[in-house]
Amino acid sequence: MGFRRKIVAGNWKMNNTLSEALSLVDGILTNLDASTTTEVILCPAAPLLSALDSHTKNLPKIKLGAQNCSEHVSGAYTGEVSAAMVKSVGCDYVIIGHSERRMCFNENNKQLAEKIKRALENNLSPIFCIGEKKEEREKNIHFNLVKTQITEVLQNFSAKELDKLILAYEPVWAIGTGLTATTQQAQEMHAFIRKVLEETFGKLFADKTPILYGGSCNAQNAKDLFACDDVDGGLIGGASLKASDFCSIINSF
Ligand code: PEP
């Protein structure tokens, strides 16, 4: 990966009350290597963002991301959170299209394209998640499937508009299952994704866009995964809830 940014993002999902979140952040600060050059992004649930922003404001190494934003600008969408709101409470990033959002909330590619648009309008970096289900890999359609996820969602943007984009390859069969992709599976898919980016947006764009791996990445396997040429870091679920594990992952480059 060499010249690209190194990024580790923690997706806390629907875990942590405010007091638990504050102690987790304190634990991360205690364990974090002061000389790390890795971008560290914490993605807590939306109600915690504002308090975490105050808690981490003077810590340039820690950035905040939301787990989702609405495809709508504002209005009568009870329960939804807009990209502008997310930005207003200190986020620089937002996860878009996590497989749990696609599966539990039926988010589709058209909607995800709108969400990315809202994120970019609000100067947020989208962390756009793609990845195949187990049966799609078994049918050997995983490369085509991932290509379609990328092209259908991103085709109407220019490379310039997507300057802040981060991709996260998260094979659905690896998320929360303990079944990590092998380094070979991760590298071949990341290289493929970079090729799709090159065909669609050009080599410069493909070379500089970070592609994170997600799916049962932990303190034991992160080093090998991050050593792959096209893996630029990780989107971490379960292992981001324990400060020492999360920091070991950050220190795995
Ligand atoms: C995720 O939810 O993005 C994720 C990668 O989860 P886990 O690390 O728990 O597999």
Side-chain angles (χ1 to χ4, degrees):
M1 44 156 299
F3 57 98
R4 274 184 295 275
R5 290 151 63 197
K6 299 178 286 182
I7 300 172
V8 173
N11 173 15
W12 292 359
K13 313 194 188 196
M14 200 173 73
N15 293 296
N16 290 327
T17 60
L18 178 56
S19 60
E20 289 163 348
L22 294 174
S23 2
L24 178 53
V25 172
D26 290 341
I28 293 170
L29 293 175
T30 310
N31 285 277
L32 195 63
D33 178 349
S35 64
T36 187
T37 52
T38 303
E39 271 174 64
V40 179
I41 307 168
L42 305 180
C43 303
L48 309 180
L49 285 168
S50 183
L52 258 65
D53 179 45
S54 309
H55 202 66
T56 58
K57 236 186 179 42
N58 300 320
L59 305 166
K61 286 199 190 328
I62 308 263
K63 303 281 184 202
L64 279 185
Q67 296 175 14
N68 178 36
C69 70
S70 171
E71 68 271 33
H72 303 290
V73 173
S74 64
Y77 301 101
T78 302
E80 287 291 273
V81 172
S82 73
M85 291 170 187
V86 159
K87 185 69 187 182
S88 75
V89 291
C91 286
D92 292 312
Y93 303 83
V94 57
I95 299 173
I96 303 277
H98 191 279
S99 62
E100 288 153 17
R101 300 286 323 168
R102 293 179 193 255
M103 290 189 300
C104 306
F105 303 96
N106 296 318
E107 292 189 355
N108 59 48
N109 288 344
K110 189 163 170 274
Q111 206 177 355
L112 297 180
E114 286 300 306
K115 286 180 184 235
I116 289 185
K117 207 164 167 190
R118 298 290 91 77
L120 297 174
E121 286 164 359
N122 287 281
N123 206 20
L124 292 161
S125 281
I127 303 175
F128 175 44
C129 302
I130 51 182
E132 80 285 356
K133 297 190 186 122
K134 181 167 175 275
E135 58 273 23
E136 291 160 341
R137 181 167 278 264
E138 281 165 0
K139 281 193 220 148
N140 207 24
I141 57 169
H142 47 299
F143 289 110
N144 275 342
L145 188 280
V146 165
K147 183 172 182 172
T148 304
Q149 288 175 330
I150 297 172
T151 50
E152 280 192 2
V153 174
L154 301 181
Q155 66 191 349
N156 292 323
F157 295 97
S158 66
K160 191 161 174 268
E161 286 170 319
L162 293 175
D163 187 48
K164 292 169 94 73
L165 180 77
I166 296 168
L167 279 166
Y169 169 57
E170 299 209 303
V172 180
W173 47 270
I175 296 181
T177 58
L179 293 173
T180 319
T182 63
T183 50
Q184 197 204 334
Q185 287 170 326
Q187 171 54 28
E188 72 175 355
M189 183 56 91
H190 281 234
F192 173 77
I193 291 167
R194 211 173 293 290
K195 190 167 102 330
V196 173
L197 292 181
E198 181 173 342
E199 285 162 6
T200 319
F201 299 108
K203 185 160 169 44
L204 264 180
F205 181 86
D207 280 347
K208 68 129 184 108
T209 299
I211 307 175
L212 313 184
Y213 169 80
S216 298
C217 181
N218 58 38
Q220 285 70 47
N221 58 32
K223 211 177 184 62
D224 288 341
L225 286 161
F226 295 176
C228 297
D229 281 352
D230 288 289
V231 176
D232 305 310
L235 177 55
I236 317 297
S240 71
L241 297 173
K242 210 172 148 210
S244 54
D245 286 0
F246 189 56
C247 290
S248 301
I249 295 171
I250 295 165
N251 295 333
S252 293
F253 284 99

